[in-house]
Amino acid sequence: MDRLTQLWVLLLLGGVTLAVALGDAHLAYVRPGFRPLLLGAGAVLLLLGLAGLLRERSPGGAHGHGAPRVAWLLLLPVTVVLLVAPPALGSFTAARQALQVEAAAEPPAADIGPDDPGERHRTMGLLDYSLHALAADTSALNGRLVRLTGFVTPRDGGGWYVSRIGITCCAADAVAVTVVVDAGRGDLAADQWVEVVGSWAPPRPHPVGGHPEAVIAPRSVTPVEAPANTYQG
């Protein structure tokens, strides 16, 4: 790879980084807060590439030696993003990297708050629900309907999971939170996003690890579109 080609690769990397950051595609890789950093990195790469090209084309432009062949590997991530943009992590990851939620002696709050405006259920995050559902005192959930949103993950040993992936920085540190849905999956495909409205049910042992898992008994399961940002920070 000669110097001119290196500079074009730099321009390509910068352009792809900007294209990913300007839309919602970056949400498949990092948290929303990283968008300004991606925009800055893409802009710097573009400027460096343009400056290098201008210098090369000037009358006294420098023409250095070629880079090692391994430098072509820089094109691999660009090719993947352009041609086969990976989707956000889903049921495959959730089945293998699920968080084991520990049962707390006390629920995180005295109650789960009022119902959603105009509804007869309370929307909760999966982790928040799990902490309440596995607590020694589950009275906060007594007689309450809860709404959980996530994607379908198959489960061995009965029922299925409504799941959500959480990330601290990027997809590399992803971990899933899952809640057992105490019902048949029917024709719901893995990775289908759903809203589950239901009530607390006794925990079940994990089919492999044996630790207790939070369970919801559904009143309704409604397929929905995946949100723009599928991860929870």
Side-chain angles (χ1 to χ4, degrees):
M1 180 187 291
D2 59 28
R3 180 169 175 76
L4 192 60
T5 305
Q6 293 174 48
L7 294 171
W8 279 110
V9 170
L10 202 61
L11 282 173
L12 185 58
L13 284 170
V16 170
T17 302
L18 282 178
V20 168
L22 287 171
D24 291 333
H26 68 288
L27 297 175
Y29 311 101
V30 297
R31 295 180 64 175
F34 282 76
R35 185 178 189 180
L37 298 178
L38 289 175
L39 291 171
V44 168
L45 289 173
L46 278 177
L47 289 174
L48 289 174
L50 286 172
L53 285 175
L54 291 174
R55 183 184 177 190
E56 287 292 315
R57 294 186 177 185
S58 65
H63 298 278
H65 295 291
R69 292 182 179 180
V70 71
W72 284 104
L73 293 177
L74 289 171
L75 290 175
L76 289 180
V78 178
T79 304
V80 169
V81 171
L82 288 177
L83 301 180
V84 195
L89 300 177
S91 61
F92 181 86
T93 300
R96 290 158 179 79
Q97 295 175 211
L99 176 68
Q100 181 177 333
V101 179
E102 298 288 341
E106 297 286 342
D111 58 56
I112 62 173
D115 287 344
D116 299 347
E119 301 289 351
R120 294 185 177 181
H121 58 249
R122 169 68 170 171
T123 296
M124 298 182 71
L126 269 64
L127 180 57
D128 190 20
Y129 175 79
S130 296
L131 291 172
H132 279 89
L134 295 174
D137 179 7
T138 60
S139 59
L141 297 172
N142 288 350
R144 298 295 301 274
L145 288 178
V146 173
R147 171 180 170 267
L148 304 177
T149 301
F151 56 84
V152 174
T153 301
R155 180 183 187 272
D156 295 329
W160 49 278
Y161 295 112
V162 56
S163 309
R164 197 76 187 257
I165 301 284
I167 62 175
T168 302
C169 168
C170 57
D173 61 26
V175 64
V177 179
T178 59
V179 172
V180 179
V181 180
D182 188 15
R185 187 155 61 99
D187 58 357
L188 290 172
D191 294 311
Q192 168 67 56
W193 279 78
V194 293
E195 289 181 352
V196 180
V197 176
S199 56
W200 178 86
R204 286 188 183 181
H206 186 275
V208 177
H211 55 273
E213 295 184 298
V215 179
I216 187 170
R219 296 280 186 90
S220 65
V221 178
T222 307
V224 296
E225 293 292 327
N229 181 18
T230 63
Y231 300 135
Q232 291 183 326

